[in-house]
Amino acid sequence: MTAGTTPSPAHPEPRNTEPRKTVAFAHLGCEKNRVDTEHMLGLLAQAGYGVSADEADATVVVVNTCSFIQDAREESVRTLVELAEQGKELIIAGCLAQHFQEELLESLPEAKAIVGTGDYQHIVSVLERVEAGERVTQVSANPTFVADEHLPRYRTTSEAIAYLKVAEGCDYRCAFCIIPHLRGDQRSRTIESIVAEAKQLAAQGVQELVLISQITTNYGLDLAGKPQLAELLRALGEVEIPWIRVHYAYPTGLTEAVLAAYREVPNVLPYLDLPLQHSHPEVLRAMNRPWQADVTGGVLRRIREQLPDAVLRTTFIVGFPGETEEHFQHLLDFVAEQRFDHVGVFTFSPEEGTPAADLPDQVPAEVAQAHRDLESRKTTGSTVLLP
């Protein structure tokens, strides 16, 4: 995705009136990463730099990278190599920078700075040090930063839609997932901080607000000792934004209080994105998600009873180590029975440093690919999204 160049009410006015160079941005990865990109854009614009989505406009390019799975890493590396071949000086930010900082500096002499996932708020000082001739590594080993409504932001979405990050990091340790290593443990913003930013976005003309974090149904657990999503949704109900959508709702977090908030707060849309990953108890246990098998069916029934207009989206992983034909058939039957509105299907990606990478009975890549293809053909009543 790209960054806009035309100032709007969403874009901070620069404090430094002296002309400074233009910095181009290349954004990769998820919408959580997009918010980080927008904060870096805002900070640089406030400091007087020009910002552009066109690499031709600048000699320095900030690449906000993704490292979630192998395909994402390959895209990030391909983008970096292409820009390096064009003679660009690179500031590498985001998950790939957090994950492979030393390797990137060694392999890419064009990399002038590495900025970790918990350090993007330092982008102005990093760039100033690069301009002074320094090669910079700005990476916290254990990210703890989370942006709030006071950090400048230069939005890259249309005026009508905005993403609002309510928390950063994750406390879960799913066997296949490297996010806690890349992003740190969960740290939530206060309800007051989130509402303040929502009001800022409403004043900019935002009509749809999408709440994002790694596990949004766990929002506030680190602050109050219990999730506070229901309280947050009711507080956001007072903000003059017509539509509020929640991404990444884990089944255990869809309590009666949360479902009641979905039902009773007029501007909260009955859209639920549930990353279920699998249906069979044995596979879920291997994924380190043993709690899920006992709650998913009941939660889906309650959603349909209490929110009859709900739109349900989910994602699944096929080819997880140890997955048998019986396990896969269980998943096919589950998807056919539930008739989700949207289904995303991923093949398992063994990530170095995660327990799943070292599990026995790794499924051959061609088998996993065949399962993904078969699921797309057999699923009925759903829009199947194949990454």
Side-chain angles (χ1 to χ4, degrees):
M1 304 301 293
T2 57
T5 58
T6 303
S8 78
H11 304 152
E13 292 296 327
R15 290 178 181 171
N16 190 333
T17 57
E18 296 180 10
R20 305 183 79 167
K21 68 169 59 179
T22 294
V23 180
F25 268 76
H27 165 77
L28 304 168
C30 66
E31 303 302 348
K32 297 184 291 293
N33 216 32
R34 174 193 290 276
V35 173
D36 299 347
T37 293
E38 292 178 343
H39 283 303
M40 285 191 283
L41 285 162
L43 285 162
L44 289 172
Q46 184 183 73
Y49 288 92
V51 290
S52 173
D54 186 353
E55 292 89 359
D57 292 343
T59 57
V60 176
V61 182
V62 179
V63 185
N64 200 7
T65 60
C66 181
S67 188
F68 181 49
I69 59 176
Q70 180 65 28
D71 287 349
R73 285 196 297 276
E74 290 175 358
E75 181 186 17
S76 293
V77 170
R78 186 165 57 250
T79 300
L80 292 169
V81 170
E82 289 173 355
L83 290 170
E85 290 176 345
Q86 295 171 28
K88 304 300 181 181
E89 297 180 357
L90 304 176
I91 296 178
I92 307 174
C95 289
L96 194 75
Q98 186 76 30
H99 200 178
F100 297 108
Q101 52 190 284
E102 294 179 3
E103 293 93 328
L104 290 169
L105 286 174
E106 290 174 4
S107 60
L108 279 172
E110 296 84 0
K112 303 304 179 182
I114 303 292
V115 182
T117 60
D119 297 273
Y120 59 87
Q121 72 276 18
H122 301 301
I123 188 64
V124 173
S125 64
V126 167
L127 184 53
E128 289 172 345
R129 290 163 64 188
V130 167
E131 290 176 319
E134 186 178 347
R135 205 176 192 207
V136 182
T137 298
Q138 182 78 52
V139 180
S140 299
N142 298 301
T144 59
F145 178 74
V146 58
D148 61 20
E149 73 277 18
H150 301 298
L151 198 70
R153 185 174 174 185
Y154 190 124
R155 286 199 293 114
T156 61
T157 52
S158 71
E159 295 296 325
I161 188 169
Y163 294 89
L164 200 165
K165 193 186 294 190
V166 302
E168 180 61 276
C170 183
D171 289 336
Y172 284 2
R173 296 297 184 264
C174 298
F176 55 84
C177 185
I178 200 169
I179 290 297
H181 173 68
L182 300 179
R183 293 277 177 174
D185 292 332
Q186 178 173 300
R187 48 219 188 259
S188 303
R189 297 169 57 180
T190 65
I191 290 177
E192 292 76 15
S193 171
I194 295 167
V195 169
E197 185 172 4
K199 289 180 177 178
Q200 292 173 359
L201 294 168
Q204 296 165 11
V206 167
Q207 299 295 297
E208 181 175 359
L209 189 65
V210 185
L211 307 184
I212 54 174
S213 69
Q214 195 60 35
I215 304 178
T216 309
T217 38
N218 273 6
Y219 163 75
L221 179 61
D222 51 312
L223 298 179
K226 63 177 183 177
Q228 293 184 297
L229 180 59
E231 292 87 342
L232 174 62
L233 293 178
R234 293 189 183 278
L236 289 171
E238 303 300 318
V239 179
E240 293 185 5
I241 290 180
W243 302 310
I244 295 175
R245 203 151 43 103
V246 179
H247 277 199
Y248 315 120
Y250 278 56
T252 49
L254 291 172
T255 62
E256 291 297 329
V258 170
L259 292 178
Y262 269 95
R263 200 168 56 246
E264 296 167 7
V265 180
N267 55 351
V268 174
L269 298 174
Y271 172 95
L272 295 104
D273 189 329
L274 303 93
L276 297 178
Q277 312 305 4
H278 213 280
S279 63
H280 199 284
E282 292 177 5
V283 179
L284 290 169
R285 192 176 305 114
M287 288 179 168
N288 199 27
R289 298 162 68 98
W291 44 266
Q292 187 180 313
D294 295 330
V295 302
T296 298
V299 166
L300 290 171
R301 282 192 298 273
R302 286 197 298 276
I303 291 171
R304 290 189 166 105
E305 289 169 359
Q306 299 182 30
L307 300 170
D309 296 327
V311 173
L312 298 178
R313 183 190 189 278
T314 191
T315 52
F316 295 111
I317 296 173
V318 295
F320 191 81
E323 183 187 55
T324 65
E325 291 300 322
E326 178 187 350
H327 296 151
F328 178 64
Q329 187 61 49
H330 188 280
L331 178 59
L332 283 177
D333 295 342
F334 174 76
V335 173
E337 176 189 356
Q338 294 297 335
R339 299 178 68 85
F340 296 98
D341 296 284
H342 302 278
V343 176
V345 186
F346 295 80
T347 55
F348 170 69
S349 176
E351 300 304 312
E352 183 180 353
T354 64
D358 298 321
L359 286 175
D361 302 320
Q362 296 279 326
V363 176
E366 60 271 18
V367 174
Q369 182 66 42
H371 282 179
R372 189 181 79 157
D373 294 344
L374 180 60
E375 182 151 3
S376 70
R377 293 196 301 271
K378 287 292 185 73
T379 302
T380 58
S382 305
T383 300
V384 181
L385 312 171
L386 296 178

